[in-house]
Amino acid sequence: MISIRRILPVIAVLLLALAATCGQAQVQSVPQLGRDYVRLDPPRPVASGDKIEVIEFFYYGCPVCYELEPTLARWIYNSPGTVVLRRVPALSSENWDNFAKLFYTLEAVGQLGRLHWPVYDNFHFDGVRLNEETAMGNWVSRNGIDKEKFMKIYRSPEIQAKLAAARQMIQDYDIKGVPSMVIDGKYVTSASMTGSTLALMQVVGQLVELAGKERGK
């Protein structure tokens, strides 16, 4: 039988080592300016009032954005009521326009909450070419949306105006790639900066806390 007196010193050493490791991990997890995020100077105005605005710049055709979606959805579900998520489709070329128009049209017909994630799933997992108008029209019809009404809005000047506003935001926030996140008009981070989607959301959470402290919350 092993004496408890003999193993207690060993346990103590292990606990000290674990504490040191945890402390080191906490230090390493602090986001670094210039590596994990950049600070906007001057800060950009927010549209969230007294709440902290988190903007996601994304592209439906981006596999990393698709990977981020469940993590982001869980994060925003569990986030405090002081945070507001705003999604903006990125537009790097005309080839990206159809997905951006799909996003804004789903929003216009009140179906974005129901179909945002299925767009990702059906495109990446099922191979439905939702960036092509014919496939898109058939898809919205299968999902209970009036196809003619949808396509009329999709091609409307109002949707084109939203695309123009999105392009301007990408320029204003100096977005280099997707997925990128802007926190409270002050901080920009991305999966490419943090190294993974999980690390991205960890940094976003920390920057939200920092923004809250700067607001005096």
Side-chain angles (χ1 to χ4, degrees):
M1 181 179 293
I2 299 175
S3 170
I4 294 178
R5 290 185 177 180
R6 291 183 179 180
I7 65 173
L8 281 176
V10 177
I11 293 174
V13 171
L14 290 174
L15 289 174
L16 286 172
L18 179 60
T21 302
C22 291
Q24 184 179 13
Q26 288 177 352
V27 171
Q28 291 175 343
S29 69
V30 175
Q32 300 297 308
L33 179 64
R35 184 193 69 186
D36 300 312
Y37 71 98
V38 295
R39 183 160 191 152
L40 293 171
D41 187 18
R44 309 308 191 250
V46 298
S48 55
D50 61 349
K51 295 187 176 183
I52 296 172
E53 180 183 69
V54 175
I55 304 175
E56 179 206 13
F57 287 92
F58 74 98
Y59 170 55
Y60 278 133
C62 165
V64 182
C65 297
Y66 178 40
E67 177 188 334
L68 173 65
E69 182 58 27
T71 306
L72 174 58
R74 285 193 298 270
W75 181 84
I76 196 63
Y77 179 80
N78 292 313
S79 65
T82 55
V83 177
V84 172
L85 175 65
R86 181 181 178 189
R87 289 186 167 97
V88 177
L91 294 142
S92 71
S93 69
E94 290 186 4
N95 292 333
W96 290 30
D97 285 15
N98 286 1
F99 267 141
K101 288 192 288 184
L102 171 59
F103 172 83
Y104 283 124
T105 309
L106 287 173
E107 182 180 58
V109 299
Q111 296 296 321
L112 185 60
R114 180 171 70 94
L115 294 176
H116 177 68
W117 198 337
V119 173
Y120 277 123
D121 272 341
N122 291 171
F123 179 78
H124 290 277
F125 190 76
D126 300 320
V128 181
R129 306 303 298 174
L130 291 175
N131 55 338
E132 297 175 2
E133 290 188 8
T134 299
M136 184 191 303
N138 293 334
W139 180 81
V140 298
S141 181
R142 290 195 302 271
N143 280 281
I145 301 173
D146 186 298
K147 178 179 176 180
E148 291 185 7
K149 177 183 177 182
F150 183 92
M151 297 311 295
K152 182 178 180 180
I153 297 172
Y154 175 88
R155 299 187 178 104
S156 69
E158 289 79 10
I159 297 300
Q160 288 296 332
K162 287 183 177 291
L163 263 62
R167 286 193 178 92
Q168 187 61 52
M169 287 185 68
I170 292 165
Q171 181 178 335
D172 291 345
Y173 289 102
D174 195 26
I175 299 301
K176 304 296 187 183
V178 291
S180 289
M181 311 286 285
V182 179
I183 294 85
D184 216 29
K186 297 177 180 179
Y187 311 110
V188 180
T189 183
S190 67
S192 63
M193 295 180 73
T194 61
S196 71
T197 56
L198 290 176
L200 171 59
M201 292 315 304
Q202 180 183 19
V203 170
V204 168
Q206 291 167 319
L207 293 176
V208 164
E209 289 182 7
L210 178 59
K213 290 178 182 177
E214 291 181 345
R215 280 178 175 239
K217 294 185 177 182

